[in-house]
Amino acid sequence: MNRRQSLMILGALATVPLMKFFSAPSAWAEGVDVKAILSDPDAPEAGNPKGNLTIVTYFDYNCPFCKKSEPDLEKVVRDDGKIRLVYKDWPILSEASVYGAQMALGAKYQGKYQAAHDALMAIPGRGISKDQMRDAVAAAGVDMTRLQSDLGTHGDAITALLRRTLSQADAMGLQGTPVYLIGPYKVAAALDAAAFKKVVDQARARPPAK
């Protein structure tokens, strides 16, 4: 993982004021393909596909801060009803993180991405092993025999998606997980439901870019 192994210091974000990590997105700077980020046909989605606001979440299944925010993110998306949620599996913290992302994305081919994602996010703590991840996915009702088959058949497509996500994150200068692109804003911190709602409201109130 080299440089990215140092991202475990993200624990510091938990005590830093939100606004330091809240900004109009340099994400949409020159050289960043906005359409590719928002509309990758292989990236899993949730929420309202015709919603009037998109949230893109960059996360790692070994990131405790991603897990802390996940229930609040899902609550806001569910309660709002007009948010399209795009998942960006960005496994940067460990080899097991890559394994978890591959399993979740492989489960998509049997319509079980959300079940696998939720199960992996629900494993407490950090340093989650491959065995723990596999057991959680199996317990979520994913057909593991089919998953192995789909990983063999679609492995190249999954790898390509993970590489695209990595390239996007690098192009935006993202330094670690979690990161949320909420309309025109980029937030690199764990949020609770109230904070998510605040950014959503501000994103909707912001005049469209000319």
Side-chain angles (χ1 to χ4, degrees), residues 200-207:
V200 166
D201 290 344
Q202 291 185 7
R204 286 196 171 118
R206 187 181 174 91

Side-chain angles (χ1 to χ4, degrees), residues 40-170:
D40 189 319
D42 293 329
E45 296 185 9
N48 185 342
K50 297 183 179 179
N52 59 16
L53 182 73
T54 295
I55 295 179
V56 182
T57 171
Y58 285 80
F59 61 90
D60 184 300
Y61 291 121
N62 256 314
C63 168
F65 308 106
C66 301
K67 296 176 184 182
K68 180 180 178 181
S69 287
E70 184 73 9
D72 294 290
L73 173 61
E74 292 186 354
K75 173 177 171 53
V76 169
V77 171
R78 181 176 61 251
D79 291 351
D80 183 280
K82 296 181 180 179
I83 295 174
R84 172 177 166 257
L85 181 62
V86 178
Y87 292 112
K88 297 287 187 176
D89 290 79
W90 187 31
I92 57 175
L93 296 179
S94 72
E95 183 179 344
S97 298
V98 177
Y99 180 72
Q102 290 171 330
M103 284 198 299
L105 293 169
K108 180 173 180 278
Y109 293 94
Q110 57 179 281
K112 292 284 190 175
Y113 174 85
Q114 193 69 55
H117 172 83
D118 291 346
L120 291 167
M121 279 295 198
I123 305 173
R126 68 177 80 204
I128 309 305
S129 69
K130 292 181 180 181
D131 288 346
Q132 288 174 288
M133 292 187 178
R134 183 180 62 251
D135 290 347
V137 169
V142 175
D143 182 331
M144 300 304 284
T145 301
R146 177 172 174 183
L147 177 59
Q148 283 302 123
S149 176
D150 285 335
L151 286 173
T153 302
H154 304 288
D156 288 346
I158 292 171
T159 297
L161 174 60
L162 291 173
R163 286 176 175 167
R164 289 199 300 277
T165 299
L166 175 61
S167 295
Q168 293 164 6
D170 283 345

